[in-house]
Amino acid sequence: MADNRLASAIDMRTVIGQFRDRGSVMKLDDVNHDYDGLITLMKKNAWISVIELAEKCLMSEELLEMKLQYRLAIIYGMIRMKMFENALSEFNNIGDFDSEKYLYESYPKLYPDKQGTMIPFTMRLLKAELDMKYDNVISSLEVLLEYCKQHKSEHNTSDILETIYFNQLNNLSNNEKVVVPEYDEFSTWTERENRIILSIINWHIKQKEYPIAIRLTEKLLQLFPNDPFLLSTLGKINLHSGNIKKAEEIFDGISSNVNQESVIERISNLTNRAFLLFAKEEFVQCIEIWEEILTIDEDNVTAINNIGMCNLYIGNGTLALNIYEEYLTKDPAEHLHEEIVSNLFSLYELLFNNFIAKKLDILLLIKDYGKDNFNIDALKLN
């Protein structure tokens, strides 16, 4: 038995090495070598290739405006790959965002009809969030928030990369993608301002400063009364803080006003109810709600993850394991989420003597199908 475990452990190290040496999940030859090719790679989470292609485009680009777009793609790819020090070095190479060399007015012949900065807003936001990560303070975000307020009168449109970035932001406490409400009557700068406030709220939640997070969310609700996304956020913060009664009151108010024609609102409402039941430790009813979500969105990773966890809490560990395995093997190219794999590995250790061999099977899937930024180091391998 010991020999078999040693052999499996050696095989695991071999597979991990093969994953790291594999390169990108999508190669440069699969796309056009231009900005459209970059967008395609981003949508496939092929971050290694994103960095390579952006660096290649940067070398041949003459216009400073496009050079900044390619630098932004490089930085974003590095952050997705958790290469934070490299991203900081890129920011240092760019220098002062407010330098005259980044103003359209400095190049009147090239941009006779343009004014203002060439620096993409997403670049400013990434820098502020990176500063927050390293300094554990939100001063950079607060400065950026003031910057947005000063530019509210400008009606700039967001670029493609900004849209991708905001769509890939994580929600407050789970792996749902953030759906930022669209307010047609407000400018792009107002939407950006609200997104920054949500990032600040998220920071306070991570610091367990729930009263501040609640006040900020309530302030946003004064601007957008009865907004279901913001109300859900407020309810979840109350759940975090242990105020189940208040969270239930908020969620009940949302339920009575759900637009049944909106899939997003229906799923959000059901998710709220499921989290509330989980907080009450009513796991069987909680499973029923998550299963209802799967009838609307069969690949909803949050639902799959929580169904497994609830089954584990009520003593159905084997069923939880089967749920996770079926989900991963159904479409490994899309379903290899770190949290699901991590939970599955814990179940293997709980239920199997030969858990290393079971983990090896999943690692082989990761080697072949895992996204470039799959954090294999975060898994409990031994």
Side-chain angles (χ1 to χ4, degrees):
M1 176 69 72
D3 289 343
N4 289 339
R5 286 195 174 186
L6 178 60
S8 294
I10 293 172
D11 288 341
M12 285 174 67
R13 287 196 292 270
T14 300
V15 172
I16 292 169
Q18 290 172 343
F19 171 73
R20 288 177 173 144
D21 295 339
R22 178 199 68 180
S24 186
V25 70
M26 179 178 269
K27 309 301 181 185
L28 294 189
D29 291 342
D30 298 328
V31 299
N32 294 329
H33 289 190
D34 54 20
Y35 194 75
D36 289 338
L38 271 179
I39 300 303
T40 300
L41 292 171
M42 288 177 187
K43 291 179 178 178
K44 293 294 183 180
N45 289 294
W47 302 110
I48 296 173
S49 289
V50 165
I51 296 170
E52 291 177 356
L53 180 54
E55 288 176 340
K56 183 175 181 178
C57 292
L58 182 63
M59 295 296 292
S60 59
E61 182 58 55
E62 294 183 358
L63 290 176
L64 179 57
E65 182 181 30
M66 282 307 300
K67 280 180 177 289
L68 288 169
Q69 291 291 337
Y70 291 129
R71 283 201 178 276
L72 174 57
I74 292 169
I75 290 168
Y76 188 41
M78 288 175 172
I79 290 175
R80 295 291 294 187
M81 292 294 294
K82 298 180 173 61
M83 299 164 59
F84 302 119
E85 294 287 349
N86 300 75
L88 282 173
S89 295
E90 286 294 322
F91 278 124
N92 290 335
N93 291 335
I94 294 168
D96 182 8
F97 288 166
D98 297 320
S99 169
E100 287 188 4
K101 68 180 179 181
Y102 296 131
L103 295 176
Y104 286 112
E105 297 94 310
S106 298
Y107 310 91
K109 292 183 179 179
L110 279 176
Y111 307 106
D113 301 319
K114 284 190 174 184
Q115 292 184 338
T117 181
M118 298 181 192
I119 297 291
F121 175 79
T122 313
M123 185 176 285
R124 294 179 184 272
L125 180 57
L126 290 175
K127 180 62 166 62
E129 292 187 336
L130 204 55
D131 288 342
M132 181 177 66
K133 176 181 177 62
Y134 274 89
D135 299 333
N136 201 33
V137 294
I138 55 173
S139 55
S140 293
L141 278 174
E142 290 171 337
V143 169
L144 188 57
L145 184 60
E146 186 61 31
Y147 176 86
C148 283
K149 290 178 179 178
Q150 294 172 359
H151 290 76
K152 264 185 164 183
S153 59
E154 299 178 15
H155 295 277
N156 303 43
T157 56
S158 57
D159 57 30
I160 297 174
L161 183 54
E162 182 176 342
T163 302
I164 291 174
Y165 173 67
F166 282 122
N167 283 340
Q168 291 185 342
L169 284 172
N170 285 333
N171 206 349
L172 299 176
S173 61
N174 53 68
N175 288 328
E176 298 173 44
K177 288 181 180 177
V178 167
V179 180
V180 180
E182 293 296 331
Y183 304 107
D184 294 337
E185 68 271 26
F186 293 96
S187 71
T188 298
W189 283 108
T190 300
E191 294 174 16
R192 289 167 173 170
E193 180 183 352
N194 295 334
R195 287 159 175 162
I196 295 169
I197 293 174
L198 288 174
S199 289
I200 293 174
I201 290 169
N202 191 27
W203 186 87
H204 285 297
I205 291 172
K206 289 179 180 178
Q207 303 300 314
K208 302 188 185 303
E209 297 172 348
Y210 302 120
I212 298 175
I214 288 171
R215 284 200 301 272
L216 287 171
T217 308
E218 289 175 340
K219 189 174 182 179
L220 271 183
L221 278 165
Q222 292 175 5
L223 297 174
F224 309 109
N226 302 318
D227 182 275
F229 172 77
L230 294 176
L231 285 169
S232 292
T233 299
L234 184 60
K236 289 173 186 176
I237 298 171
N238 277 279
L239 278 185
H240 276 289
S241 67
N243 193 343
I244 295 177
K245 183 178 179 181
K246 182 62 176 179
E248 185 168 15
E249 178 185 316
I250 294 169
F251 291 154
D252 285 345
I254 297 172
S255 294
S256 62
N257 293 293
V258 171
N259 177 6
Q260 295 299 326
E261 299 298 318
S262 170
V263 172
I264 292 172
E265 285 194 34
R266 287 166 57 201
I267 290 178
S268 177
N269 179 52
L270 290 169
T271 298
N272 292 339
R273 290 168 55 193
F275 282 137
L276 182 64
L277 289 167
F278 189 89
K280 292 180 174 182
E281 298 186 3
E282 298 176 10
F283 300 121
V284 174
Q285 297 94 318
C286 186
I287 290 172
E288 292 174 356
I289 298 297
W290 289 120
E291 288 177 341
E292 185 176 350
I293 290 175
L294 290 179
T295 65
I296 304 171
D297 176 11
E298 64 178 1
D299 293 326
N300 189 295
V301 62
T302 306
I304 294 292
N305 188 48
N306 281 279
I307 289 172
M309 293 301 296
C310 288
N311 273 291
L312 181 61
Y313 285 135
I314 61 177
N316 291 338
T318 301
L319 178 57
L321 184 147
N322 291 337
I323 289 169
Y324 289 151
E325 283 190 331
E326 181 180 346
Y327 178 76
L328 290 178
T329 56
K330 176 184 174 184
D331 187 1
E334 296 297 329
H335 291 176
L336 278 166
H337 298 281
E338 291 171 19
E339 190 171 4
I340 297 288
V341 174
S342 179
N343 289 341
L344 181 58
F345 276 21
S346 295
L347 286 169
Y348 283 155
E349 293 185 13
L350 182 67
L351 299 174
F352 291 96
N353 290 325
N354 64 332
F355 62 83
I356 293 181
K358 300 291 291 184
K359 290 181 179 181
L360 179 59
D361 291 338
I362 302 301
L363 285 174
L364 288 169
L365 287 178
I366 295 171
K367 176 181 73 72
D368 292 335
Y369 299 102
K371 300 294 191 292
D372 290 6
N373 60 326
F374 190 99
N375 186 12
I376 205 164
D377 294 324
L379 299 176
K380 187 179 178 182
L381 298 174
N382 297 324

